[in-house]
Amino acid sequence: MNNNAWFKKENPLLSLHSMGGGAAGTLMQGAAAKTYVDEVFSSYTDLGTGFARTIVNNIDLADKGGLVWQKWRNGSASSNENNTSHILADTVRGTSKYLKANASDGEFSVSAVGSFNSNGYATGGNLTSTDNSSDQYVGWTFAKQEGFFDIVTYTGDSNTNQTISHSLGSIPGCIIIKSTSNTDQWTVYHRGAGQDKYLYLNETDA
């Protein structure tokens, strides 16, 4: 099943200007340099098997690197949090680490993704929140791409004006920060709110 096929090669990355601050450099040149949405992003639904399974969504995580965001679709807020959590794993921290987007916990040392592949990824095979037999799941996959998406790890230095480098080649439109070593909120900047405001991804606060 390829959930991306319906819009195959219809939306060049240039149309993502509003998401990442605008593509720059080679992306603004001739047709040969165009990158399309379905090459760097996928939304994919499937059923769990109770074991690790391979998700083929045609996103090259092996070469580009990126993020896999998985969610169990059968669960409700009253269910066990370990089942209903949003599970995030990325190529920077590797297959043995994941974070919960709906919680303030630091990173967990369990494989939520078994491998990052050239055409998608494999699930870890050991979490109810990603692999329970016959349950419904959705996975959102983001590949690293100039003008679209990047992942950066850094160590804080208690400096209010600490500079963090990235490879977007443009001004970020949205920045999400999470401490992996401590319990702390997911802090979100969005240019629509401005530099003097922030949101918490995992909370209901204004």
Side-chain angles (χ1 to χ4, degrees), residues 82-148:
N82 289 327
N83 297 343
T84 60
S85 289
H86 291 252
I87 305 298
L88 279 66
D90 62 77
T91 58
V92 174
R93 293 176 303 122
T95 58
S96 64
K97 307 285 185 183
Y98 76 85
L99 291 163
K100 295 179 180 179
N102 54 293
S104 60
D105 305 87
E107 67 183 5
F108 294 83
S109 297
V110 179
S111 295
V113 170
S115 62
F116 297 101
N117 304 328
S118 60
N119 61 354
Y121 63 96
T123 65
N126 51 19
L127 293 176
T128 301
S129 50
T130 59
D131 292 297
N132 212 36
S133 179
S134 299
D135 281 351
Q136 301 174 23
Y137 295 95
V138 60
W140 299 281
T141 304
F142 300 79
K144 287 188 177 185
Q145 176 66 49
E146 184 175 349
F148 174 58

Side-chain angles (χ1 to χ4, degrees), residues 29-41:
Q29 297 175 8
K34 286 183 180 178
T35 298
Y36 290 82
V37 174
D38 60 309
E39 295 178 78
V40 293
F41 174 75

Side-chain angles (χ1 to χ4, degrees), residues 22-49:
T26 58
L27 293 179
M28 300 298 286
Q29 297 175 8
K34 286 183 180 178
T35 298
Y36 290 82
V37 174
D38 60 309
E39 295 178 78
V40 293
F41 174 75
S42 165
S43 180
Y44 192 100
T45 58
D46 73 324
L47 296 177
T49 62

